[in-house]
Amino acid sequence: GAGRRTMAQKRNILTLHILIGMAAGLVTGGLINLAGNDGWVRAGLTDGLLHIVGRVFLASLQLLVVPLVFISLVCGSAALDDVRKVGRIGLKTVALYLFTTAAAISLALAAAVVVQPGRGFELTAGSTFVPGEAPPLAEILINIFPSNPVRAMADGNMLQVIVFAVLVGLALVMAGAPGKRILALFEDANVVVMKLVTIVMIVAPYGVFALLARTFAAEGFSAIGPLAKYFVLVLGVLILHGLGTYPLLLRLLTKLSPLQFLRNARAVPVFAFSTASSSATLPITLETAEKRMGVGNSVASFTLP
């Protein structure tokens, strides 16, 4: 009990430090912008030190994503030890994600129709965005399966990495004793990768500080002004979806306390906000789900990637 409490306290302190780093980054960046982000300040500080620290931190998070997902998912799908379990969890996951995506799209479209944030906002000539044509469904399904798993990992093609990891995990279960021996290696590797996450988390407050300080030094608080209506609308709908749709689903489907869930998950949105990348946040999302939420590795590593 005492050891667990100590770990929980350490995580709470780290989250607090990250929030402090985030606030300090916003203020520092804003002050640099007001003072004039040019000359030696820009060369040495914003485009020098802050840029280096921020990019190294972001690269460290991205570095962990592929090994973490692959190793964790091999262990997770092998732990399910039954192809039918994988199918059941897979179907539930896809159904839930399709529903929450549909809810998010519906909220966004309804809010945009009512508020019309782009009305009166004139685009300059040549800046019109023309979206590319969506690929056919057959092509999407074919591209999920990797012809070269090493290339999929090198390119960070997560769907292909996931498919390959699940196939390896199932093969380890079906291979009997040799599979168990190799699975033991994967389980040891999983512990090592989670330790890598811990190392990166130690420097996280400084990384978050650097990323936000540089952004606000370059843009300033005034950058929000021309897009205030759009900015506030997006933020409002995100809050409605995050504090409305998800807690309601949590209450209906699990009977768990939404407040407790949000309290335990607070490190994840902080990281997502500061890195502007859900994939870079994935190591923290996995650690939060397993260590703070008590989600089993087999379920967390299967659903989160």
Side-chain angles (χ1 to χ4, degrees), residues 3 36 56 61 87 160 184 207 219 260:
V56 167
L61 279 172
Q160 292 190 355
E219 303 297 335
Q260 186 64 40

Side-chain angles (χ1 to χ4, degrees), residues 6-291:
T6 309
M7 283 300 290
Q9 284 165 354
K10 280 180 184 173
R11 281 197 293 270
N12 285 336
I13 290 164
L14 182 63
T15 306
L16 178 65
H17 286 171
I18 291 164
L19 286 167
I20 291 167
M22 191 174 165
L26 286 166
V27 173
T28 305
L31 291 173
I32 291 169
N33 183 268
L34 288 171
N37 180 32
D38 49 26
W40 68 266
V41 174
R42 183 167 188 167
L45 190 60
T46 52
D47 288 352
L49 184 65
L50 292 175
H51 179 57
I52 292 164
V53 172
R55 288 305 299 266
V56 167
F57 169 62
L58 202 53
S60 304
L61 279 172
Q62 289 165 336
L63 160 84
L64 293 170
V65 172
V66 170
L68 182 68
V69 168
F70 179 67
I71 294 166
S72 190
L73 196 45
V74 167
C75 295
S77 49
L80 290 168
D81 66 34
D82 187 345
V83 178
R84 283 169 300 183
K85 280 187 193 170
V86 176
R88 275 200 305 275
I89 290 178
L91 283 172
K92 283 180 181 177
T93 304
V94 170
L96 182 68
Y97 288 173
L98 285 174
F99 177 78
T100 52
T101 302
I105 292 166
S106 303
L107 279 172
L109 287 173
V113 167
V114 171
V115 179
Q116 295 189 340
R119 185 182 284 275
F121 190 77
E122 294 300 321
L123 287 169
T124 53
S127 63
T128 308
F129 171 70
V130 181
E133 199 175 323
L137 182 61
E139 195 180 314
I140 292 168
L141 292 173
I142 290 164
N143 287 338
I144 288 172
F145 292 86
S147 58
N148 184 334
V150 178
R151 184 189 294 150
M153 289 181 191
D155 293 345
N157 188 326
M158 294 317 298
L159 273 176
Q160 292 190 355
V161 172
I162 289 163
V163 167
F164 182 58
V166 170
L167 290 173
V168 171
L170 293 175
L172 290 178
V173 172
M174 294 163 75
K180 281 181 181 169
R181 288 196 294 272
I182 293 173
L183 179 58
L185 288 173
F186 270 98
E187 283 167 349
D188 286 348
N190 199 33
V191 174
V192 174
V193 171
M194 290 312 285
K195 285 292 172 199
L196 271 173
V197 174
T198 308
I199 292 166
V200 173
M201 291 287 277
I202 292 165
V203 299
Y206 309 102
V208 166
F209 169 82
L211 284 168
L212 290 177
R214 183 168 188 264
T215 300
F216 278 87
E219 303 297 335
F221 297 115
S222 60
I224 294 167
L227 294 168
K229 197 175 180 185
Y230 174 73
F231 175 81
V232 170
L233 181 67
V234 170
L235 202 60
V237 179
L238 284 172
I239 290 167
L240 180 63
H241 191 57
L243 301 182
T245 310
Y246 287 132
L248 190 64
L249 280 174
L250 197 69
R251 200 81 182 133
L252 291 172
L253 299 178
T254 67
K255 304 288 188 285
L256 292 173
S257 162
L259 283 174
Q260 186 64 40
F261 174 86
L262 291 167
R263 198 161 36 239
N264 287 346
R266 61 186 181 272
V268 178
V270 169
F271 265 89
F273 178 80
S274 56
T275 60
S277 168
S278 57
S279 62
T281 309
L282 188 59
I284 286 81
T285 313
L286 268 168
E287 203 214 21
T288 301
E290 290 182 33
K291 300 286 193 299

